[in-house]
């Protein structure tokens, strides 16, 4: 491929990466208190322990980083799911993967395991996401159509939601019943760098597994038989996608709670840029997911609501109508 | 490339579809698989492509057991074109054809890939449709786009399940000629065909399947005798001859 | 309960009991007092003779929630529901303004002699409440004595090594801070300190983002924590590295067990004492 062709292929990626980085910086610049971000950055770099530096490093930075990381994970996982199921309506939230991840995290957290062993929390989220993914792919493997899969997702979501509420109810802590709002509606607020460190490794591992599936997803656009005849071991592809989704989404939800619809909207927005090739969509959807999450998080901080809105509320307000439009459009096509 | 089957038996969901098939196929030939519906032609093709595992008998590709061949290597050796295959996401014809180069990922340069894709698009007569989305094509055009994908693999074996059934007469003839040319150039082409005349005119050899067994194997004149056709298809035929070759027309159900 | 008097009889009994209770000095001290509110338990333990108490709440038996748990353990406990209370044939039932309205109205309808105590949020209100309860149970003298003792302790604390008016932020789980008019506010002021949240304009219990808390940069951070921390996201805040960094930069962090200042009672002075003692320990 010529140099200009390669350049042209890389252009959407570079643009999206720049936008994401820009939004992350903007996110760090916004907060409750007035912060001179330039001065604060200077303080940090010079090692001065000022209040501004403290706020920037311990509060603003984790929030921006988590927005980037979880947004990328959700967008990427959504694109991977859509590629595997060959359907643009699939995403971890709708399919119940996020709900199950929240359940896993809640069980681990309120049983006290997370206090004993910090990594237990993302592991709990991953276990939940894994269980839902396995159910989903077992159904898909038997040739279930999209309607069946979505209904299965509804069932998993309902069950996970109910069990989450039950777990919170049984928890001895008096705040537990209130905290369901966090788990079901997600938030990036008041996280620490420790949270970022906790999820970084599992997320990166998940990303690698998902991104490595790009050629397989391209082949799958011609159906499972042709994909196999093109040299892909479908069982292994499925395992990689299940594991990758569980790692990326599970750890994200364990720290930020459920943030829905990002995995649905991001792939759809970038599909034209990727010329609809499922493999190319992966990277771009990850970046778009980061952009959407950061934008939503910035938006909710600019709104004059008190206390600030949950992130999942904003993504649902944007994402649910989007889903309805998508459904309508797919109906018109058929 | 040589395919050897000995006592090949394949079952699907508990039902035996192919029973004790024995045959050998070699490169440089255009083999037609004919037979009534439900005879097991598609299953045989899928088995040859490595998509269905036989539950008895052996299947050797150039002397190697097919199950022992590494997946991507097998993919470079055998290209498979299913009947009515899906093409999701509305990719462009060129993008679909390019998918045929996936078995060569990591082994062929992008220049080689591009050249192979060009050749495939030309051969399938879809080069002028290259930027069109497959979703917007007619049934016949779509079939040719998918055929271009199979041709792009440039594998020594090409297995096609009813490649011309949905095409208009002109493109039926052109595609059959293309497949025969590929066979002449050294490939082993095996195609499931319903049109007996096309099968006779273009294939070097026909395998007649009925109820999971090979009832005839050989050139058209031997395989498609009146008796064989009556037994397998339950029809009587009218035959004729012109300067291009012979033709067979199913005439009356028996 | 089947053998008890019918409605009219009960109402008559209640009326007599109330009359006896409110006359105080003229009649005998109220007997068979049942408290269905943990803070009322504390008042009873301070003001009533043990013989007067029929039952307290189960909550007060838990030393994590209640300072005088070992004293309370000597008395039977109820779950605070109407049936449990009525089965004891109470001479007086003490509830709070926040006791479940269903329980309160049921008890009233069934003729139990119920008294709902309003929430006291500063020392003058507390003194008034102590007098009120003492009168209701026929122990005015003990009431006055308890108030006097409390006031003496407060004076001693104030005289004893005065502290500079440090700014204090009282922080709970869920980003809740104690603003003006809360019990925590009362304790802070009684300790001679200033309430940073009140100065920031917060009235009552309000939410504050971690960032805003850091920007206040209080001299002292008082963390209102249960002794036993069952896992809750609410408490994550209290372990956030940003707060740790604050303490590295000169803010003093002090823990206040919730049970010391959850109730307005004579033991509220313990909270004031704890606060002052912790600050002096932090070194000056």
């Amino acid at each position: 491929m010529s140099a200009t062709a390669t350049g042209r292929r890389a252009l959407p990626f570079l643009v999206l990466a720049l936008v994401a980085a820009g939004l992350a910086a903007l996110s760090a610049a916004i907060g409750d208190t007035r912060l001179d971000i330039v001065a604060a950055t200077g303080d940090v770099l010079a090692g001065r322990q000022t209040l501004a530096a403290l706020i920037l490093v311990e509060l603003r930075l984790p929030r921006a980083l988590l927005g980037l990381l979880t947004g990328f994970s959700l967008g990427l996982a959504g694109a991977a799911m859509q590629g595997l199921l060959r359907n643009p309506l699939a995403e971890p939230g709708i399919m119940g993967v996020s709900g199950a991840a929240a359940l896993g995290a809640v069980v681990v957290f309120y049983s006290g395991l997370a206090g004993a062993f910090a990594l237990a929390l993302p592991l709990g989220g991953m276990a939940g996401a894994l269980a839902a993914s396995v159910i989903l792919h077992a159904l898909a493997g038997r040739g279930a159509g999209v309607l069946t899969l979505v209904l299965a997702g509804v069932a998993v979501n309902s069950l996970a939601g109910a069990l989450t509420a039950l777990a919170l109810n049984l928890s001895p802590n008096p705040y537990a019943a209130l905290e369901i709002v966090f788990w079901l509606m997600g938030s990036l607020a008041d996280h620490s760098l420790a949270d970022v460190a906790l999820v970084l490794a599992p997320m990166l591992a998940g990303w690698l597994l998902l991104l490595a599936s790009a050629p397989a997803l391209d082949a799958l656009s011609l159906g499972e038989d042709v994909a196999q005849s093109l040299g892909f071991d479908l069982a292994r592809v499925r395992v990689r996608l299940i594991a990758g989704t569980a790692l990326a989404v599970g750890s994200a939800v364990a720290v930020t709670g459920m943030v829905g619809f990002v995995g649905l909207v991001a792939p759809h927005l970038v599909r034209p840029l990727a010329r609809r090739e499922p493999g190319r969509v992966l990277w771009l959807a990850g970046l778009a997911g980061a952009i959407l999450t950061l934008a939503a998080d910035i938006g909710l901080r600019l709104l004059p609501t008190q206390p600030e809105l949950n992130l999942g509320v904003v993504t649902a307000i944007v994402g649910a109508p989007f889903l309805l439009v998508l459904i309508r459009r797919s109906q018109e096509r058929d | 490339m040589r395919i050897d089957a000995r006592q090949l038996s394949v079952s699907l969901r508990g039902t035996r579809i192919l029973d004790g098939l024995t045959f050998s196929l070699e490169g440089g030939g255009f083999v037609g698989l004919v037979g009534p519906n439900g005879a097991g032609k598609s299953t045989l093709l899928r088995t040859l492509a490595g998509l269905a595992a036989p539950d008895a008998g052996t299947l050797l590709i150039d002397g190697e057991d097919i199950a022992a061949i590494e997946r991507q290597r097998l993919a470079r050796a055998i290209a498979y074109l299913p009947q009515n295959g899906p093409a999701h996401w509305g990719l462009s014809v060129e993008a679909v054809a390019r998918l045929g180069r996936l078995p060569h990922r990591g082994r062929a340069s992008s220049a080689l890939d591009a050249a192979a894709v060009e050749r495939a698009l030309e051969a399938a007569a879809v080069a002028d449709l290259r930027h069109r989305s497959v979703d917007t094509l007619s049934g016949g055009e779509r079939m040719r786009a998918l055929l271009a994908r199979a041709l792009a693999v440039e594998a020594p074996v090409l297995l096609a399940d009813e490649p011309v059934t949905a095409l208009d007469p002109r493109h039926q003839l052109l595609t059959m000629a293309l497949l025969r040319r590929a066979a002449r150039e050294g490939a082993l082409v095996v195609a499931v065909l319903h049109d007996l005349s096309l099968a006779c005119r273009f294939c070097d050899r026909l395998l007649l399947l009925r109820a999971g067994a090979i009832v005839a194997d050989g050139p058209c004149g031997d395989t498609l005798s009146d008796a064989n056709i009556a037994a397998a298809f339950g029809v009587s035929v009218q035959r004729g001859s012109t300067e291009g070759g012979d033709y067979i027309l199913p005439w009356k159900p028996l | 309960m089947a053998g008890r008097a019918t409605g009219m009889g009960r109402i008559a009994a209640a009326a007599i009991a109330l009359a006896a209770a409110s006359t105080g000095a003229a009649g005998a001290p109220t007997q068979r007092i049942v408290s269905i509110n943990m803070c009322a338990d504390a008042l009873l333990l301070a003001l009533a003779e043990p013989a007067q108490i029929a039952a307290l709440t189960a909550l007060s038996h838990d030393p994590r929630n209640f300072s005088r748990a070992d004293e309370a353990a000597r008395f039977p406990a109820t779950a605070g529901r109407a049936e449990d209370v009525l089965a004891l044939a109470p001479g007086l039932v003490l509830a709070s303004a926040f006791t479940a309205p269903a329980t309160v109205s049921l008890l009233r309808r069934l003729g139990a002699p119920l008294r709902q105590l309003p929430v006291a949020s500063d020392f003058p209100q507390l003194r008034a409440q102590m007098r009120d309860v003492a009168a209701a149970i026929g122990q005015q003298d003990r009431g006055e004595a308890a108030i006097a003792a409390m006031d003496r302790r407060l004076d001693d604390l104030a005289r004893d090594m005065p502290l500079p008016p440090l700014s204090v932020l009282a922080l709970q789980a869920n980003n809740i801070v104690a603003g003006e008019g809360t019990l925590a506010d009362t304790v802070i002021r009684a300790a001679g300190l200033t309430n940073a949240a009140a100065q920031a304009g917060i009235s009552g219990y309000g939410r504050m983002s971690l960032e805003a808390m850091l920007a206040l940069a209080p001299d002292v951070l008082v963390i209102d924590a249960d002794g036993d921390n069952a896992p809750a996201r609410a408490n994550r805040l209290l372990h956030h590295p940003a707060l740790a960094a604050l303490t590295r930069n000169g803010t003093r962090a002090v823990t206040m067990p919730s049970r010391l200042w959850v109730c307005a009672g004579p033991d509220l002075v313990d909270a004031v004492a704890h606060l002052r003692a912790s600050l002096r320990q932090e070194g000056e």
Side-chain angles (χ1 to χ4, degrees), chain C residues 9-34 89-95 107-117 132-138 140:
Chain C
R10 283 205 200 114
I11 292 172
I16 293 167
L18 266 175
S22 50
T23 45
T30 321
Q31 296 300 320
R32 307 200 60 70
I33 307 174
V34 175
L92 177 63
V93 180
L94 291 181
L107 282 171
R108 286 216 166 100
R109 251 187 306 130
L110 293 178
L114 184 95
R115 193 181 194 87
Q116 267 185 305
L117 303 175
D132 186 42
V133 173
I137 65 176
Q140 283 95 324

Side-chain angles (χ1 to χ4, degrees), chain A residues 19-20 23 67 71-72 75 259 261-267 269 285-299 311 314-315 318:
Chain A
V19 174
L23 281 177
F72 192 92
V259 177
F261 294 103
V262 174
L264 174 74
V265 176
L269 290 180
L287 289 172
I291 290 173
L292 287 172
T293 307
L294 286 167
D297 193 44
I298 288 171
L311 184 57
V314 179
T315 59
V318 171

Side-chain angles (χ1 to χ4, degrees), chain A:
Chain A
M1 202 175 297
S2 68
T4 43
T6 317
R8 237 182 304 125
R9 279 181 76 103
L11 191 61
F13 177 78
L14 286 173
V15 170
L16 287 180
L18 277 173
V19 174
L23 281 177
L26 185 58
S27 172
I30 293 182
D32 242 7
T33 58
R34 299 206 63 85
L35 188 73
D36 182 347
I37 193 164
V38 176
T41 317
D43 287 341
V44 172
L45 293 175
R48 287 190 289 270
Q49 299 273 28
T50 61
L51 181 65
L54 175 65
I55 291 180
L56 180 61
V57 171
E58 299 291 350
L59 289 174
R60 302 276 183 97
L61 187 61
R63 186 163 187 156
L65 283 177
L66 274 179
L68 262 179
L69 294 172
T70 57
F72 192 92
S73 295
L74 293 172
L76 176 58
M81 248 186 176
Q82 292 179 9
L84 181 68
L85 299 176
R86 277 93 73 197
N87 192 284
L89 297 180
E91 75 119 8
I94 294 175
M95 293 295 174
V97 174
S98 297
L103 174 60
V106 161
V107 167
V108 164
F109 186 80
Y110 292 96
S111 66
L113 272 174
F117 164 49
L119 213 54
L121 189 64
L123 282 174
M126 288 184 245
L130 188 65
S133 293
V134 166
I135 293 174
L136 196 61
H137 289 97
L139 285 172
R142 295 221 188 104
V146 169
L147 181 61
T148 310
L149 292 174
V150 171
L151 288 176
V154 170
V156 171
N157 264 327
S158 306
L159 182 62
L163 290 176
T164 302
L166 179 65
L168 287 164
N169 223 289
L170 292 176
S171 152
N173 190 288
Y175 307 109
L178 295 174
E179 292 176 356
I180 192 169
V181 175
F182 163 79
W183 290 107
L184 295 185
M185 297 263 78
S187 169
L188 292 176
D190 291 343
H191 284 97
S192 63
L193 286 176
D195 289 331
V196 176
L198 200 59
V199 296
L200 197 56
M203 271 191 192
L204 284 175
W207 294 357
L208 284 173
L209 285 172
L210 292 175
L211 291 169
S213 308
L217 292 181
D218 283 337
L220 276 169
S221 68
L222 294 177
E224 295 201 349
D225 272 353
V226 172
Q228 232 178 304
S229 79
L230 286 170
F232 293 94
D233 181 344
L234 290 187
R236 228 190 277 164
V237 170
R238 259 189 224 118
V239 166
R240 232 187 287 139
L241 285 168
I242 290 176
T245 306
L247 283 165
V249 174
S251 52
V253 172
V255 164
T256 66
M258 284 176 62
V259 177
F261 294 103
V262 174
L264 174 74
V265 176
H268 188 88
L269 290 180
V270 299
R271 201 158 275 129
L273 289 176
R275 300 202 293 209
R276 286 172 288 179
E277 293 168 32
R280 284 253 294 257
V281 171
L282 289 180
W283 271 105
L284 297 178
L287 289 172
I291 290 173
L292 287 172
T293 307
L294 286 167
D297 193 44
I298 288 171
L300 64 87
R301 275 178 289 170
L302 295 176
L303 287 175
T305 52
Q306 198 50 247
E308 62 178 38
L309 281 177
N310 283 91
L311 184 57
V313 170
V314 179
T315 59
I317 287 177
V318 171
F322 191 92
L323 175 59
L324 288 173
V325 168
L326 266 187
I327 292 173
R328 179 83 193 287
R329 259 206 237 146
S330 78
Q331 274 185 328
E332 279 167 13
R333 238 204 318 268
D334 307 329

